[in-house]
Protein backbone atom coordinates (compact mmCIF):
# COMPACT_ATOMS: atom_id res chain seq x y z
CA UNK A 1 0.00 0.00 0.00
CA UNK A 2 2.85 2.37 0.78
CA UNK A 3 4.48 1.61 -2.58
CA UNK A 4 1.23 2.39 -4.41
CA UNK A 5 0.57 5.60 -2.44
CA UNK A 6 1.37 8.65 -4.60
CA UNK A 7 1.71 11.04 -1.63
CA UNK A 8 -0.82 13.62 -2.82
CA UNK A 9 -3.49 14.69 -0.32
CA UNK A 10 -7.00 13.49 -1.10
CA UNK A 11 -9.04 16.68 -1.00
CA UNK A 12 -12.62 16.39 0.10
CA UNK A 13 -15.08 17.15 -2.68
CA UNK A 14 -17.47 19.98 -2.10
CA UNK A 15 -21.07 19.14 -1.33
CA UNK A 16 -23.48 21.10 -3.54
CA UNK A 17 -25.28 22.47 -0.46
CA UNK A 18 -22.03 23.53 1.20
CA UNK A 19 -21.23 27.23 1.39
CA UNK A 20 -18.08 28.54 -0.24
CA UNK A 21 -15.32 30.19 1.74
CA UNK A 22 -16.27 33.46 0.03
CA UNK A 23 -19.81 33.22 1.40
CA UNK A 24 -18.45 32.76 4.91
CA UNK A 25 -16.07 35.68 4.39
CA UNK A 26 -19.04 37.88 3.43
CA UNK A 27 -20.93 36.74 6.53
CA UNK A 28 -17.91 37.55 8.73
CA UNK A 29 -17.57 40.99 7.12
CA UNK A 30 -21.22 41.77 7.86
CA UNK A 31 -20.50 41.18 11.55
CA UNK A 32 -17.34 43.31 11.46
CA UNK A 33 -19.19 46.12 9.70
CA UNK A 34 -21.17 46.85 12.87
CA UNK A 35 -18.54 45.96 15.47
CA UNK A 36 -15.37 47.73 14.28
CA UNK A 37 -14.28 51.16 13.16
CA UNK A 38 -14.81 52.05 9.50
CA UNK A 39 -11.06 52.19 8.84
CA UNK A 40 -10.56 48.70 10.32
CA UNK A 41 -13.50 47.34 8.32
CA UNK A 42 -12.08 48.86 5.12
CA UNK A 43 -8.74 47.15 5.81
CA UNK A 44 -10.49 43.78 6.19
CA UNK A 45 -12.23 44.29 2.83
CA UNK A 46 -8.95 45.24 1.17
CA UNK A 47 -7.09 42.19 2.47
CA UNK A 48 -9.90 39.80 1.57
CA UNK A 49 -10.47 41.15 -1.94
CA UNK A 50 -6.82 41.60 -2.81
CA UNK A 51 -5.16 38.64 -1.11
CA UNK A 52 -7.51 35.93 0.13
CA UNK A 53 -10.61 35.63 -2.06
CA UNK A 54 -8.82 35.33 -5.44
CA UNK A 55 -7.24 32.10 -4.13
CA UNK A 56 -9.81 30.67 -1.71
CA UNK A 57 -13.09 32.43 -2.46
CA UNK A 58 -14.70 29.82 -4.74
CA UNK A 59 -13.55 26.80 -2.76
CA UNK A 60 -15.93 24.91 -0.49
CA UNK A 61 -15.76 25.90 3.17
CA UNK A 62 -14.67 22.41 4.28
CA UNK A 63 -12.66 21.70 1.14
CA UNK A 64 -9.74 23.85 2.27
CA UNK A 65 -7.20 21.88 4.29
CA UNK A 66 -4.33 22.84 6.59
CA UNK A 67 -1.70 22.29 3.91
CA UNK A 68 -3.42 24.67 1.47
CA UNK A 69 -3.64 27.41 4.11
CA UNK A 70 -0.08 26.92 5.33
CA UNK A 71 1.33 27.13 1.80
CA UNK A 72 -0.84 30.17 1.06
CA UNK A 73 0.57 32.09 4.04
CA UNK A 74 4.14 30.95 3.41
CA UNK A 75 4.08 32.67 0.01
CA UNK A 76 3.85 35.99 1.86
CA UNK A 77 6.52 34.95 4.36
CA UNK A 78 8.85 34.03 1.48
CA UNK A 79 8.26 37.44 -0.12
CA UNK A 80 9.27 39.11 3.15
CA UNK A 81 5.83 40.65 3.76
CA UNK A 82 5.56 39.24 7.27
CA UNK A 83 3.16 41.93 8.50
CA UNK A 84 0.69 41.06 5.73
CA UNK A 85 1.10 37.35 6.53
CA UNK A 86 0.08 38.01 10.13
CA UNK A 87 -2.94 40.09 9.14
CA UNK A 88 -4.12 37.36 6.76
CA UNK A 89 -3.48 34.71 9.42
CA UNK A 90 -5.78 36.48 11.90
CA UNK A 91 -8.57 36.93 9.36
CA UNK A 92 -8.40 33.30 8.23
CA UNK A 93 -8.40 32.06 11.81
CA UNK A 94 -11.59 34.02 12.60
CA UNK A 95 -13.45 32.86 9.50
CA UNK A 96 -12.45 29.21 9.93
CA UNK A 97 -13.61 29.33 13.56
CA UNK A 98 -17.10 30.08 12.17
CA UNK A 99 -16.83 27.29 9.61
CA UNK A 100 -15.61 24.79 12.22
CA UNK A 101 -18.53 25.62 14.52
CA UNK A 102 -21.12 25.25 11.75
CA UNK A 103 -19.83 21.91 10.49
CA UNK A 104 -18.71 20.56 13.87
CA UNK A 105 -15.16 19.98 12.62
CA UNK A 106 -11.71 21.01 13.77
CA UNK A 107 -10.47 24.27 12.23
CA UNK A 108 -7.69 23.68 9.65
CA UNK A 109 -6.05 26.88 10.98
CA UNK A 110 -5.40 25.13 14.28
CA UNK A 111 -1.97 23.87 13.20
CA UNK A 112 -1.09 26.65 10.73
CA UNK A 113 1.83 28.82 11.83
CA UNK A 114 3.62 31.95 10.69
CA UNK A 115 6.94 33.28 12.06
CA UNK A 116 6.83 35.81 14.88
CA UNK A 117 6.41 39.40 13.77
CA UNK A 118 7.56 42.26 15.97
CA UNK A 119 5.77 45.46 15.11
CA UNK A 120 7.62 48.75 15.37
CA UNK A 121 6.55 50.48 18.54
CA UNK A 122 7.90 53.89 17.58
CA UNK A 123 10.04 56.39 19.49
CA UNK A 124 9.66 59.92 20.78
CA UNK A 125 11.33 62.80 18.96
CA UNK A 126 14.57 64.09 20.43
CA UNK A 127 14.55 67.69 21.67
CA UNK A 128 16.53 68.77 18.60
CA UNK A 129 14.06 67.03 16.28
CA UNK A 130 11.19 68.68 18.12
CA UNK A 131 12.77 72.13 17.61
CA UNK A 132 13.40 71.34 13.95
CA UNK A 133 9.75 70.37 13.45
CA UNK A 134 8.40 73.48 15.18
CA UNK A 135 10.75 75.67 13.14
CA UNK A 136 9.46 74.07 9.92
CA UNK A 137 5.81 74.51 10.94
CA UNK A 138 6.22 78.18 11.85
CA UNK A 139 7.88 78.81 8.47
CA UNK A 140 5.04 77.10 6.57
CA UNK A 141 1.87 78.39 8.20
CA UNK A 142 0.10 78.65 4.84
CA UNK A 143 -0.07 74.84 4.76
CA UNK A 144 -2.69 72.87 6.71
CA UNK A 145 -0.06 70.28 7.59
CA UNK A 146 1.94 72.77 9.67
CA UNK A 147 -1.03 73.42 11.97
CA UNK A 148 -1.94 69.74 12.21
CA UNK A 149 1.64 68.73 13.11
CA UNK A 150 1.76 71.28 15.94
CA UNK A 151 -1.53 69.97 17.35
CA UNK A 152 -0.32 66.35 17.19
CA UNK A 153 2.98 67.28 18.84
CA UNK A 154 1.56 69.31 21.73
CA UNK A 155 -1.78 67.55 22.32
CA UNK A 156 -0.94 63.92 21.56
CA UNK A 157 -3.93 63.26 19.31
CA UNK A 158 -4.21 60.39 16.88
CA UNK A 159 -4.35 61.53 13.24
CA UNK A 160 -7.93 60.31 12.88
CA UNK A 161 -8.99 62.46 15.85
CA UNK A 162 -8.08 65.75 14.15
CA UNK A 163 -11.44 65.82 12.33
CA UNK A 164 -13.32 66.07 15.66
CA UNK A 165 -11.08 68.82 17.03
CA UNK A 166 -12.73 71.61 19.02
CA UNK A 167 -11.37 74.41 21.25
CA UNK A 168 -13.20 74.88 24.55
CA UNK A 169 -13.01 78.13 26.55
CA UNK A 170 -9.61 78.93 25.05
CA UNK A 171 -7.88 76.52 27.47
CA UNK A 172 -8.86 73.02 26.29
CA UNK A 173 -8.77 70.91 23.16
CA UNK A 174 -11.64 68.48 22.83
CA UNK A 175 -11.77 65.49 20.49
CA UNK A 176 -13.56 62.18 20.07
CA UNK A 177 -11.42 59.19 21.01
CA UNK A 178 -11.12 57.22 17.77
CA UNK A 179 -10.04 53.99 19.49
CA UNK A 180 -13.60 53.30 20.66
CA UNK A 181 -15.30 50.30 19.06
CA UNK A 182 -18.57 50.52 17.19
CA UNK A 183 -21.60 50.00 19.38
CA UNK A 184 -20.16 51.99 22.27
CA UNK A 185 -20.98 55.57 23.14
CA UNK A 186 -18.70 58.19 21.60
CA UNK A 187 -16.13 59.18 24.20
CA UNK A 188 -15.01 62.79 24.19
CA UNK A 189 -11.87 63.85 26.00
CA UNK A 190 -10.27 67.17 26.87
CA UNK A 191 -6.57 68.00 26.77
CA UNK A 192 -5.52 71.24 28.51
CA UNK A 193 -3.18 73.69 26.81
CA UNK A 194 0.23 73.20 28.42
CA UNK A 195 2.79 76.03 28.70
CA UNK A 196 4.69 74.38 25.83
CA UNK A 197 1.63 74.54 23.58
CA UNK A 198 0.81 78.08 24.65
CA UNK A 199 4.12 79.21 23.13
CA UNK A 200 2.91 78.29 19.63
CA UNK A 201 -0.82 78.79 20.24
CA UNK A 202 -0.97 82.22 18.49
CA UNK A 203 0.26 80.57 15.28
CA UNK A 204 -2.12 77.58 15.19
CA UNK A 205 -5.21 77.70 13.01
CA UNK A 206 -7.33 74.87 14.43
CA UNK A 207 -9.69 74.95 11.45
CA UNK A 208 -6.77 74.15 9.13
CA UNK A 209 -5.58 71.41 11.48
CA UNK A 210 -9.07 69.93 11.54
CA UNK A 211 -9.42 69.86 7.74
CA UNK A 212 -5.93 68.59 6.90
CA UNK A 213 -5.59 65.83 4.32
CA UNK A 214 -4.23 62.86 6.27
CA UNK A 215 -2.35 61.44 3.29
CA UNK A 216 -0.59 64.77 2.75
CA UNK A 217 0.20 64.85 6.47
CA UNK A 218 1.89 61.44 6.23
CA UNK A 219 3.84 62.45 3.13
CA UNK A 220 5.05 65.66 4.76
CA UNK A 221 6.21 63.81 7.86
CA UNK A 222 8.12 61.24 5.82
CA UNK A 223 9.81 63.98 3.81
CA UNK A 224 10.89 65.89 6.93
CA UNK A 225 11.76 62.90 9.12
CA UNK A 226 12.19 59.69 7.07
CA UNK A 227 13.01 57.77 10.26
CA UNK A 228 9.76 58.79 11.98
CA UNK A 229 6.02 58.54 11.36
CA UNK A 230 3.33 60.97 12.51
CA UNK A 231 2.07 58.67 15.30
CA UNK A 232 5.41 59.23 17.02
CA UNK A 233 4.35 62.82 17.75
CA UNK A 234 1.87 61.18 20.12
CA UNK A 235 4.75 59.23 21.68
CA UNK A 236 6.55 62.55 22.09
CA UNK A 237 3.63 64.28 23.83
CA UNK A 238 3.17 61.40 26.27
CA UNK A 239 6.92 61.20 26.94
CA UNK A 240 7.21 64.96 27.61
CA UNK A 241 4.27 64.85 30.03
CA UNK A 242 5.81 61.99 31.98
CA UNK A 243 9.26 63.57 31.92
CA UNK A 244 7.68 66.67 33.43
CA UNK A 245 6.16 64.69 36.29
CA UNK A 246 2.49 64.65 35.27
CA UNK A 247 0.55 61.92 37.09
CA UNK A 248 0.57 58.74 34.98
CA UNK A 249 -3.20 58.21 35.10
CA UNK A 250 -3.77 61.79 33.98
CA UNK A 251 -1.44 61.31 31.00
CA UNK A 252 -3.42 58.18 30.04
CA UNK A 253 -6.70 60.12 30.24
CA UNK A 254 -5.33 62.95 28.08
CA UNK A 255 -4.06 60.39 25.56
CA UNK A 256 -7.37 58.51 25.48
CA UNK A 257 -5.89 55.26 26.75
CA UNK A 258 -8.00 52.86 28.79
CA UNK A 259 -7.02 52.83 32.45
CA UNK A 260 -5.91 49.51 33.84
CA UNK A 261 -5.61 48.45 37.46
CA UNK A 262 -8.00 48.36 40.39
CA UNK A 263 -11.65 49.35 40.34
CA UNK A 264 -10.62 52.38 42.40
CA UNK A 265 -8.65 53.63 39.38
CA UNK A 266 -11.02 52.63 36.60
CA UNK A 267 -14.42 53.44 38.10
CA UNK A 268 -14.25 55.66 41.15
CA UNK A 269 -11.52 58.16 40.28
CA UNK A 270 -12.79 61.41 38.74
CA UNK A 271 -10.18 64.15 38.53
CA UNK A 272 -11.36 67.77 38.57
CA UNK A 273 -10.67 70.22 35.74
CA UNK A 274 -8.68 72.27 38.23
CA UNK A 275 -6.40 69.31 38.90
CA UNK A 276 -5.90 68.69 35.17
CA UNK A 277 -4.97 72.34 34.62
CA UNK A 278 -2.56 72.23 37.56
CA UNK A 279 -0.89 69.10 36.15
CA UNK A 280 -0.66 70.70 32.69
CA UNK A 281 1.43 73.54 34.15
CA UNK A 282 4.24 71.04 34.72
CA UNK A 283 4.79 70.58 30.99
Amino acid sequence: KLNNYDGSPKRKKRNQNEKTFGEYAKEWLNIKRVTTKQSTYNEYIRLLNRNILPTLGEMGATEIDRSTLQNFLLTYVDKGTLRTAHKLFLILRCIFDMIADDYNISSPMKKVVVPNYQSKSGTAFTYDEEKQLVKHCLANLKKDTAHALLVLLYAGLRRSELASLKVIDGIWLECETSKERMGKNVVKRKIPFTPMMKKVLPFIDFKKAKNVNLNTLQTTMKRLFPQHHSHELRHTFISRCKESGVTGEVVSIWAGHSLTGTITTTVYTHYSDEFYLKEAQKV
Side-chain angles (χ1 to χ4, degrees):
K1 286 185 178 180
L2 283 172
N3 286 333
N4 293 329
Y5 180 58
D6 63 8
S8 61
K10 299 297 185 288
R11 181 170 290 169
K12 179 183 174 182
K13 290 185 178 180
R14 180 189 164 198
N15 186 303
Q16 290 288 37
N17 296 323
E18 179 186 341
K19 285 199 247 180
T20 64
F21 174 84
E23 289 172 319
Y24 268 101
K26 184 177 180 180
E27 185 179 332
W28 181 76
L29 276 176
N30 282 335
I31 296 170
K32 291 300 173 183
R33 182 175 55 83
V34 295
T35 58
T36 60
K37 290 189 304 178
Q38 184 65 42
S39 58
T40 305
Y41 174 69
N42 290 343
E43 178 68 355
Y44 290 147
I45 291 176
R46 186 185 72 83
L47 290 167
L48 278 164
N49 289 338
R50 181 178 177 180
N51 303 93
I52 298 177
L53 294 180
T55 302
L56 306 176
E58 296 302 317
M59 296 177 68
T62 64
E63 183 185 359
I64 305 168
D65 57 22
R66 180 201 59 79
S67 178
T68 301
L69 293 168
Q70 183 67 78
N71 290 331
F72 170 73
L73 290 172
L74 286 179
T75 59
Y76 292 92
V77 174
D78 292 340
K79 288 188 291 186
T81 54
L82 201 53
R83 185 165 180 255
T84 299
H86 269 266
K87 287 182 177 181
L88 298 176
F89 173 84
L90 293 173
I91 290 174
L92 288 169
R93 192 173 66 181
C94 291
I95 295 174
F96 276 103
D97 280 346
M98 292 173 60
I99 295 170
D101 280 346
D102 281 2
Y103 289 93
N104 196 26
I105 58 175
S106 179
S107 170
M109 285 297 294
K110 198 172 182 180
K111 296 292 184 180
V112 172
V113 295
V114 289
N116 290 330
Y117 169 71
Q118 184 64 46
S119 61
K120 296 179 181 178
S121 59
T123 57
F125 276 46
T126 65
Y127 290 108
D128 285 339
E129 288 172 334
E130 187 178 339
K131 289 177 183 177
Q132 184 183 340
L133 177 62
V134 173
K135 185 177 180 180
H136 165 83
C137 291
L138 296 182
N140 292 274
L141 292 175
K142 290 183 179 179
K143 299 179 179 179
D144 292 355
T145 52
H147 303 272
L149 288 170
L150 288 174
V151 171
L152 295 179
L153 175 64
Y154 288 127
L157 271 63
R158 301 175 180 90
R159 294 188 307 272
S160 56
E161 293 169 345
L162 285 168
S164 62
L165 197 59
K166 186 178 179 182
V167 178
I168 306 252
D169 299 330
I171 55 174
W172 304 89
L173 275 186
E174 183 185 81
C175 70
E176 294 178 1
T177 299
S178 67
K179 203 73 174 177
E180 290 302 310
R181 288 183 176 272
M182 295 265 307
K184 290 188 176 181
N185 293 331
V186 172
V187 175
K188 294 184 178 181
R189 72 177 193 274
K190 294 192 302 183
I191 305 101
F193 292 147
T194 65
M196 282 300 295
M197 188 168 193
K198 288 177 182 177
K199 290 181 179 180
V200 297
L201 207 53
F203 306 101
I204 298 178
D205 184 329
F206 289 101
K207 186 176 180 180
K208 287 185 176 181
K210 183 174 183 175
N211 296 321
V212 70
N213 182 296
L214 297 184
N215 290 328
T216 305
L217 186 66
Q218 287 286 70
T219 303
T220 302
M221 174 59 72
K222 276 299 176 187
R223 179 170 53 81
L224 294 173
F225 300 96
Q227 73 279 23
H228 285 296
H229 51 78
S230 58
H231 195 70
E232 288 174 308
L233 296 176
R234 181 170 164 81
H235 288 242
T236 306
F237 169 76
I238 292 171
S239 298
R240 297 292 180 264
C241 287
K242 291 190 174 182
E243 288 169 354
S244 303
V246 178
T247 303
E249 288 177 12
V250 170
V251 178
S252 294
I253 291 168
W254 290 349
H257 286 152
S258 59
L259 294 174
T260 57
T262 65
I263 193 169
T264 303
T265 298
T266 57
V267 178
Y268 291 114
T269 303
H270 304 279
Y271 294 109
S272 65
D273 284 354
E274 290 77 14
F275 182 74
Y276 286 141
L277 292 171
K278 184 179 177 181
E279 288 292 289
Q281 293 308 305
K282 298 177 180 179
V283 188

